[in-house]
Amino acid sequence: MTITRSRPEVARGIGTSPRRSDGVPKVEGSFSYVSDLNHEDMLWAATLRSPHPSALIKSLDVSRATALAGVAAVLTQAEVPGRPTFGLEHPDQPVMCDGTARYWGEPIAIVAAADLATARRAIETIELEMEELEPLSDPEQADLEGSVYRRMRIRTGDPDRRGPVVVEGYYEVGMQDQAPLGPEAGLAIPDGMGGVDLYATSQFLHVDHEQIVACLGLQPDQVRCHPPGMGGAFGAREDVNLHIHLCWLALQTGRPV
């Protein structure tokens, strides 16, 4: 039996509903998300992260990880080739921990190795000693101690206006964040001429590009950011996380990571 399907007319122009090019492959399960990407001769990366929300690094020894068979690179904040900080609006975040961990999970060292198991094993061999500090998490206490990073005054309308009913109170709500199905992932491919192509989860390619270029000490045309498929965003894919690390490791090793 032969089944003939007529090709639907392609809707064009304002007010029409064109078919999404990624719609069918996503429904069929054949669409490639960032974490599905791979490349021949590819290395895998892993990150050593702070186990404390606030702590000082007392000692850090990566020699055992560097000597491990299959490890191509081990990098820390001391080796950052360009600007040591990045940030979406203000460059106030170290590329990796600068000696003081300011949040749980802050990256301390990154590794590129022949396979994921070796990369993770290398992370486990890094000798890290930290002095845990009491985190300052109360905004009112931070105000009293003069530890407020930034102040913004927002005022609109008449603040002295009063209605027939006035309700005042002190309210606390829990932190909420998005939870996309697709993980943070990326693939960086060096071009062999000092540049790199990056395929990573992002909603803000041009701002990612600016931060990568600055932190790696490169020229703008040496970094090319490509928009891959990603499993959800909801505003959570605006910040740089693994983007600089991936490009840095790819350039350091000369291999895709």
Side-chain angles (χ1 to χ4, degrees):
M1 178 184 295
T2 301
I3 300 177
T4 303
R5 292 186 175 89
S6 60
R7 187 174 180 178
E9 290 295 322
V10 178
R12 299 180 183 277
I14 297 174
T16 60
S17 297
R19 177 177 292 181
R20 289 179 60 104
S21 60
D22 60 348
V24 172
K26 283 183 175 179
V27 171
E28 293 177 341
S30 60
F31 184 82
S32 292
Y33 291 93
V34 190
S35 52
D36 297 318
L37 301 179
N38 60 76
H39 195 283
E40 59 181 351
D41 199 34
M42 182 177 73
L43 297 171
W44 288 79
T47 307
L48 173 65
R49 299 183 178 277
S50 171
H52 309 295
S54 182
L56 298 176
I57 295 180
K58 305 299 291 183
S59 65
L60 177 64
D61 185 352
V62 301
S63 58
R64 291 175 59 196
T66 303
L68 191 65
V71 171
V74 181
L75 300 171
T76 66
Q77 178 74 359
E79 288 87 48
V80 176
R83 190 181 67 196
T85 56
F86 70 96
L88 186 62
E89 295 185 6
H90 307 280
D92 59 348
Q93 301 178 65
V95 173
M96 289 191 284
C97 183
D98 60 4
T100 302
R102 297 174 177 85
Y103 60 91
W104 181 89
E106 183 169 3
I108 294 174
I110 51 176
V111 169
D115 54 69
L116 184 56
T118 301
R120 288 175 172 169
R121 189 160 62 251
I123 289 298
E124 294 174 356
T125 67
I126 295 176
E127 298 177 13
L128 171 66
E129 180 186 354
M130 304 187 78
E131 178 186 341
E132 190 172 1
L133 305 175
E134 184 67 29
L136 179 57
S137 58
D138 186 324
E140 292 188 344
Q141 185 62 33
D143 190 25
L144 292 174
E145 296 183 16
S147 295
V148 176
Y149 173 71
R150 185 183 181 196
R151 297 180 184 275
M152 290 181 63
R153 180 174 181 136
I154 301 175
R155 179 170 177 170
T156 180
D158 181 1
D160 297 322
R161 182 70 60 88
R162 286 292 183 268
V165 177
V166 177
V167 178
E168 295 180 342
Y170 183 89
Y171 305 94
E172 292 187 16
V173 296
M175 177 181 175
Q176 297 185 28
D177 204 355
Q178 308 93 330
L181 291 175
E184 296 289 357
L187 174 65
I189 305 173
D191 62 12
M193 297 180 291
V196 63
D197 288 87
L198 176 66
Y199 303 81
T201 49
S202 177
Q203 292 177 265
F204 230 165
L205 287 180
H206 59 289
V207 179
D208 296 346
H209 178 267
E210 293 172 0
Q211 296 173 83
I212 296 167
V213 166
C215 292
L216 298 186
L218 300 174
Q219 295 300 314
D221 61 354
Q222 290 181 287
V223 178
R224 295 163 295 276
C225 297
H226 305 271
M230 55 184 181
F234 320 113
R237 309 290 196 182
E238 295 181 344
D239 296 305
V240 162
N241 44 68
L242 45 72
H243 306 66
I244 298 171
H245 298 170
L246 276 174
C247 292
W248 188 13
L249 287 169
L251 292 171
Q252 185 76 16
T253 62
R255 294 170 60 181
V257 179

